[in-house]
Amino acid sequence: MMQNHWHILDTEATFKELNSQPAGLTGAEAADRLAKYGPNELQAAHRVSPWEILLEQFKNVLILILLGATAISLFLGHGVESIVIAVIVLFAVVLGFVQEYRAERAIEALKQMAAPTASVLRDGMEIKIPARELVPGDVIILHTGDRVPSDARVLEAVNLQIEEAALTGESVPVEKHTDPIKNEELPIGDRKNMAYAGTAVTYGRGRALVTATAMQTEFGKIAQMLQNVESTRTPLQQNLDKVGTVLARAAFVVVAIIVALGLFRGQPFIEMLIFGIALAVAVVPEALPAVVTISLAIGVQKMVKRNALIRRLPAVETLGSTSVICSDKTGTLTKDEMTIRRLYSAGEMIHVSGAGYEPTGEFSLDGKTAPPSPAIRQMLLAATLASDTHLVRLPEGGWDIKGDPTEGAFVVAAAKAGLDKHQLDEENPRVAEIPFTSETKRMTTIHEAGKKRTAYAKGAPEVILEGCDFVLTSNGPKPLDAAGRKEILHQAQVLAGEALRVLGIASKDNVTLETAERGMTFLGLAGMIDPPRPEAKAAIALCADAGIRPVMITGDHPVTAAAVARELGLLQEGGRVVTGAELEDMTDEQLKQEVENISVYARVSPSHKLRVVTAWQSLGHIAAMTGDGVNDAPALKKADIGIAMGITGTDVTKEAAAMTLTDDNFASIVAAVEEGRGVFGNIKKYLMYLLSSNIGEIGLMAGSALMGLPLPLTAVQILYVNLATDGLPALALSVDPAEKDLMKRKPRDPRTGIFTRPVIILMVLGGIWSALVNLGLFTWALNSGRSLEESMTMTFVSLVLIQFFKAYNFRSDRHSVLDKPFENKWLNLSVFWEFLLLIAIVYVPFLHEAFSTYALTLEDWLIVGVLSVTIVPALELAKWMERRGWFGSLE
């Protein structure tokens, strides 16, 4: 089959080449071709199976050595101890598997967006099928509002216009025809007899013959190129790798010394081997990269609920540092639902309330609500009948339109006035039409009611006015004189000055197709706009508090863009509006100097986006950029966070972007930034807690070895402390509620990393305090005449309790632990559960042998409790000093 030159063939030759016919394929032929060519969908990246995730948990060398050592221990007769260690290790493996499995499925959420359908001829009948079942040779039916499901040669075009901005960057819809074009090397945008996957039908209808599906489409080829992009490790991951390596080396040295000293004192080799490995497993932070992945994955799942799908996990980290959001206007800052706000008819300017396609709103004159006048109703009836668009109720609630957004605004305004489009069409069936073209700038339809034929027209005000000899007044139609024409054009300019798109409406009774557009009666003007999203205004105010600069980038007119930006609070005093033409005249150096003063970019092309984002980055900002077309891909890739639109965006931009908005809403970007900050904050809490615990354990064991004391904990106790404290409570910190002032802080500088001076001080202080308290307790207990078993149990219980107190303290690196201490219900539950287990280990007789524990007295508990709670004032004092700037900046 031909690969790229279908446009040079006539329709007959195309059918022959694809072995198809005008009635389409049969069901059997389609099934054969589906088996041969595969489904019509972009190939997804390799999906990791649950078994692969489970096996990955056993690739940790320490885990394997520990399982081997427990097997040897079991063989040598240490049955109970070895079984307990094996159970603890397997529990850790299962915990790791569950978390990574959840992370993997969170990423999969991106691919679960609803698959589109396609209208196709099969066995000569028009049916709807999932677009993935299309095959080369299928005949597809294209209607206004449809997304083209594959590359196809146009067979029939009735006023067919297709918007190809997603592929070519050209925002004006392309008028399609069926004639062959003989130039083989034409660019895609000039192949006017072809329809391409992912583009949208904006007007008319047609039929087309599928020439390519899946990865063979023009979209597929771009997707293939984008799949080769490798994801890089983030500064946080690199930082943790270094920390993990340093801590691991230090731990191995300490472990080696402790084991050597134990053997020197004559302790059994197998006992010291298991102890050494257990201590290494407990203190080596081999799980640090996984911890980050898990926390980011939990963040991803939270963001899904807030309409943001994260494609690459490291993007969550970057989101927390975002300082600039460059956003499209249409559909992101606005509703992308054209809405009539003003109506001018019979000398009166009427305000219409409501926003979007919801058919609820009021008509008001001079601020007073009033039912629509007969003149207004007549104008809306005319505009609605001269429209092909329908208002539809969505199954999940809410409203949408099927067809052109401008016509949709008229249909919705008519519904607000009690005029139903379906009923009007039934009462006034259309018998002829003169379609809209870019030359005539008007659309006229002729309707029959009884024996009377009436023409209704809508279009550019000056064009409609040219065909009018009369004007509708409150007393009926009157001749239209020069003064009347001047007044109507003045009112049109007033509406345009409010950044409204203005259309004129006219009608004429007793017409033929030839006389329809002459001698008409001018009914009125309608001013419409794509209204700002109410939630976007609140999100922009939140950006100001959070130190984030929102910037509007649009292909729209500068007057319209500025009006919307002012209404949203995005364009403040001193903010500039710059057009694409002005941007072209600026050098990169000039743009860099001016970029912080520019709030709105209007009439820009996708290529300008790259320059804007580069200018912001050159000043050290972390920039997020939205985009929906394939040609936005360079800017999305260049941006620190590329954001694709889930509704209007193409599959290719979703592949290229780090994040996809399922509702195309600016407020969702700000919500994602808030979640990003929260996730990063929780990673910081988790790591402070994890590493502080490890420092405390290493310090305790090293101190006792150097002081010539017996080992204060057994291998099983060490593994249990590691699992209990670094397990559930640590995981609970990764879902800790965000701190109250999170969105009142400046964006975090990514170069500072996670280990700021205050974080290191808290972490080290917590670890050293824990080691000193437990070492002192163990030494005192031995010297007080208590048995080794009782002394070890007191130390074991003290270590666990200190970890519990630390978990609550590390919920913030700046705020007091007394500020809503029990807000994290998961932390409360995990600590409560672990405390019950601790009680069981201390008092249940059959667990005494496994854990080498002793039933403590009330006096023992009081001593342990008082000592372990001292960690709270120690850390509180450090935080108090931090808040007063003793240790440098908190950020």
Side-chain angles (χ1 to χ4, degrees):
M1 286 188 187
M2 298 178 60
Q3 276 298 305
N4 211 25
H5 302 305
W6 297 103
H7 62 284
I8 67 172
L9 298 182
D10 60 28
T11 54
E12 198 176 319
T14 312
F15 274 121
K16 190 176 176 185
E17 189 74 33
L18 286 161
N19 194 18
S20 185
Q21 62 256 344
L25 301 173
T26 65
E29 285 173 330
D32 288 344
R33 294 190 188 195
L34 187 61
K36 181 179 179 182
Y37 297 112
N40 176 35
E41 57 189 6
L42 299 181
Q43 288 170 5
H46 168 66
R47 178 172 168 165
V48 182
S49 75
W51 287 111
E52 286 177 279
I53 297 171
L54 185 61
L55 287 172
E56 197 65 35
Q57 309 305 311
F58 289 98
K59 288 185 179 176
N60 185 321
V61 177
L62 290 170
I63 293 287
L64 292 175
I65 292 173
L66 190 56
L67 287 174
T70 53
I72 295 167
S73 178
L74 183 64
F75 180 74
L76 295 175
H78 299 269
V80 175
E81 189 178 67
S82 59
I83 289 168
V84 172
I85 292 173
V87 167
I88 289 173
V89 170
L90 286 173
F91 185 75
V93 165
V94 169
L95 201 64
F97 165 77
V98 168
Q99 288 301 321
E100 286 193 36
Y101 181 80
R102 282 175 66 199
E104 191 64 32
R105 292 304 160 262
I107 300 165
E108 282 291 316
L110 182 60
K111 299 191 176 78
Q112 300 305 314
M113 295 182 79
T117 58
S119 297
V120 62
L121 287 181
R122 288 273 171 89
D123 299 306
M125 293 172 61
E126 183 180 342
I127 59 169
K128 264 200 183 306
I129 63 168
R132 68 187 302 280
E133 293 176 14
L134 278 182
V135 294
D138 263 326
V139 175
I140 52 175
I141 316 295
L142 300 174
H143 301 285
T144 301
D146 285 352
R147 204 161 263 277
V148 180
S150 64
D151 287 3
R153 172 70 164 83
V154 178
L155 303 173
E156 176 189 302
V158 180
N159 301 321
L160 181 63
Q161 293 180 18
I162 297 181
E163 193 255 305
E164 296 178 342
L167 199 59
T168 65
E170 179 56 56
S171 57
V172 178
V174 179
E175 220 162 310
K176 296 295 180 179
H177 61 73
T178 60
D179 302 329
I181 306 168
K182 291 306 177 187
N183 183 350
E184 282 192 21
E185 302 307 322
L186 269 185
I188 289 166
D190 294 329
R191 297 179 190 178
K192 297 189 177 179
N193 58 7
M194 295 292 295
Y196 292 102
T199 58
V201 180
T202 57
Y203 195 78
R205 56 187 171 81
R207 294 186 181 204
L209 181 62
V210 174
T211 56
T213 58
M215 300 304 279
Q216 299 307 311
T217 62
E218 293 301 323
F219 264 28
K221 291 169 190 171
I222 297 169
Q224 229 158 1
M225 288 187 278
L226 289 170
Q227 277 181 359
N228 298 327
V229 178
E230 289 183 19
S231 57
T232 55
R233 294 179 73 72
T234 68
L236 174 60
Q237 287 171 320
Q238 291 168 355
N239 199 344
L240 292 180
D241 285 346
K242 287 177 191 169
V243 170
T245 304
V246 170
L247 201 53
R249 287 174 183 165
F252 273 121
V253 170
V254 173
V255 169
I257 291 169
I258 292 169
V259 171
L261 286 171
L263 291 172
F264 180 73
R265 290 186 195 136
Q267 289 176 286
F269 173 76
I270 191 69
E271 185 183 314
M272 289 313 297
L273 174 68
I274 292 175
F275 178 84
I277 296 167
L279 185 57
V281 168
V283 299
V284 174
E286 71 280 341
L288 277 190
V291 164
V292 176
T293 303
I294 291 162
S295 299
L296 295 178
I298 290 168
V300 165
Q301 290 169 332
K302 281 186 180 178
M303 287 183 192
V304 168
K305 292 172 186 169
R306 298 185 78 171
N307 301 309
L309 292 170
I310 302 298
R311 179 168 171 74
R312 287 187 281 278
L313 286 183
V316 180
E317 175 196 342
T318 315
L319 268 169
S321 305
T322 301
S323 55
V324 178
I325 302 174
C326 300
S327 172
D328 285 325
K329 175 182 76 71
T330 306
T332 308
L333 289 165
T334 62
K335 290 177 76 72
D336 196 16
E337 296 177 359
M338 289 300 280
T339 304
I340 289 177
R341 283 196 167 173
R342 300 276 191 281
L343 292 170
Y344 175 76
S345 184
E348 293 180 333
M349 186 67 79
I350 305 297
H351 177 82
V352 186
S353 66
Y357 298 143
E358 181 92 26
T360 53
E362 294 178 331
F363 297 80
S364 55
L365 176 64
D366 299 328
K368 294 176 184 173
T369 303
S373 66
I376 292 291
R377 287 177 65 85
Q378 178 64 21
M379 178 172 72
L380 290 174
L381 178 144
T384 302
L385 286 172
S387 299
D388 293 321
T389 298
H390 291 272
L391 182 65
V392 291
R393 179 142 214 166
L394 300 172
E396 64 273 16
W399 297 83
D400 199 1
I401 59 156
K402 187 79 173 169
D404 180 74
T406 302
E407 292 186 349
F410 281 116
V411 173
V412 172
K416 290 175 184 177
L419 299 170
D420 179 68
K421 165 74 171 163
H422 293 283
Q423 190 179 335
L424 291 177
D425 286 343
E426 281 176 17
E427 293 169 356
N428 305 271
R430 186 183 299 184
V431 292
E433 71 176 77
I434 303 169
F436 174 90
T437 67
S438 52
E439 290 78 33
T440 62
K441 293 186 178 176
R442 68 190 293 162
M443 176 183 179
T444 305
T445 59
I446 300 172
H447 301 259
E448 197 166 64
K451 292 183 178 178
K452 187 173 77 169
R453 286 197 170 192
T454 306
Y456 299 107
K458 67 180 190 320
E462 63 278 10
V463 174
I464 294 293
L465 210 50
E466 262 178 47
C468 292
D469 292 340
F470 302 92
V471 60
L472 183 66
T473 70
S474 54
N475 298 317
K478 296 278 177 72
L480 182 60
D481 56 18
R485 289 176 191 276
K486 191 175 178 183
E487 175 60 18
I488 289 167
L489 288 173
H490 169 69
Q491 293 296 340
Q493 285 174 339
V494 169
L495 292 174
E498 294 179 28
L500 299 175
R501 185 182 178 198
V502 187
L503 272 80
I505 299 99
S507 69
K508 181 183 179 182
D509 292 335
N510 304 313
V511 299
T512 63
L513 196 59
E514 291 73 29
T515 64
E517 295 185 333
R518 296 194 302 275
M520 303 188 87
T521 298
F522 190 82
L523 302 178
L525 298 167
M528 62 185 71
I529 196 169
D530 178 12
R533 290 177 178 267
E535 63 272 29
K537 189 169 185 176
I540 284 169
L542 190 59
C543 281
D545 289 341
I548 299 167
R549 174 73 183 278
V551 176
M552 179 193 287
I553 300 185
T554 178
D556 215 335
H557 194 279
V559 175
T560 309
V564 172
R566 278 195 197 93
E567 196 171 330
L568 285 167
L570 189 146
L571 184 60
Q572 303 283 358
E573 199 69 41
R576 283 183 61 192
V577 179
V578 168
T579 64
E582 291 171 313
L583 203 56
E584 287 285 351
D585 293 337
M586 285 187 191
T587 64
D588 287 344
E589 190 55 41
Q590 286 172 322
L591 179 59
K592 182 179 172 182
Q593 288 171 4
E594 290 291 326
V595 73
E596 290 186 322
N597 301 320
I598 303 170
S599 299
V600 178
Y601 296 86
R603 280 282 189 260
V604 295
S605 65
S607 59
H608 293 136
K609 287 186 172 184
L610 189 60
R611 289 190 65 201
V612 173
V613 78
T614 304
W616 277 109
Q617 287 173 327
S618 67
L619 295 173
H621 288 277
I622 301 298
M625 173 71 78
T626 68
D628 52 12
V630 175
N631 47 19
D632 288 331
L636 294 189
K637 276 178 149 183
K638 175 67 177 168
D640 300 283
I641 291 285
I643 303 168
M645 301 295 115
I647 299 170
T648 59
T650 61
D651 286 343
V652 177
T653 41
K654 290 172 198 170
E655 289 284 326
M659 181 170 101
T660 299
L661 301 181
T662 58
D663 61 352
D664 294 8
N665 191 338
F666 180 82
S668 298
I669 305 174
V670 181
V673 169
E674 186 176 355
E675 286 295 346
R677 289 188 178 190
V679 167
F680 190 87
N682 286 351
I683 290 173
K684 184 162 67 174
K685 299 169 192 177
Y686 194 133
L687 292 175
M688 281 196 297
Y689 178 61
L690 183 81
L691 297 179
S692 178
S693 301
N694 287 359
I695 292 167
E697 289 167 32
I698 292 173
L700 171 62
M701 304 310 292
S704 59
L706 292 171
M707 289 170 67
L709 298 172
L711 293 173
L713 300 171
T714 66
V716 173
Q717 286 173 348
I718 287 173
L719 285 172
Y720 178 80
V721 167
N722 192 52
L723 185 69
T725 60
D726 299 349
L728 293 178
L731 285 175
L733 281 178
S734 68
V735 291
D736 200 47
E739 292 180 60
K740 61 187 178 187
D741 60 346
L742 195 64
M743 288 300 279
K744 296 197 181 297
R745 303 175 191 172
K746 288 181 181 176
R748 182 183 57 82
D749 184 347
R751 289 167 297 189
T752 60
I754 203 163
F755 296 107
T756 57
R757 191 181 301 170
V759 167
I760 292 170
I761 288 169
L762 274 181
M763 201 166 63
V764 173
L765 174 65
I768 290 174
W769 191 273
S770 171
L772 290 174
V773 166
N774 287 316
L775 194 58
L777 172 63
F778 183 59
T779 307
W780 174 84
L782 286 174
N783 293 333
S784 68
R786 286 171 170 79
S787 67
L788 177 60
E789 202 170 43
E790 186 177 356
S791 301
M792 288 174 73
T793 303
M794 288 177 75
T795 308
F796 168 65
V797 170
S798 170
L799 182 60
V800 172
L801 291 182
I802 284 175
Q803 310 291 48
F804 291 165
F805 286 121
K806 270 203 257 184
Y808 283 100
N809 257 281
F810 285 140
R811 286 190 57 233
S812 175
D813 63 341
R814 61 187 74 190
H815 298 303
S816 168
V817 70
L818 302 175
D819 184 13
K820 294 186 179 176
F822 304 113
E823 190 181 13
N824 186 341
K825 63 176 180 180
W826 298 111
L827 182 59
N828 300 336
L829 286 170
S830 61
V831 168
F832 179 69
W833 169 248
E834 295 294 350
F835 187 72
L836 290 181
L837 288 180
L838 185 64
I839 297 292
I841 288 167
V842 172
Y843 289 111
V844 175
F846 76 85
L847 292 176
H848 284 175
E849 186 184 350
F851 285 91
S852 306
T853 48
Y854 176 91
L856 298 181
T857 64
L858 179 60
E859 183 190 353
D860 291 341
W861 273 105
L862 287 171
I863 292 165
V864 167
V866 168
L867 287 173
S868 58
V869 85
T870 59
I871 189 73
V872 175
L875 292 174
E876 281 295 291
L877 178 63
K879 286 187 196 178
W880 180 84
M881 293 167 75
E882 274 180 25
R883 288 195 294 273
R884 276 148 187 77
W886 289 29
F887 306 139
S889 171
L890 281 166
E891 302 302 331

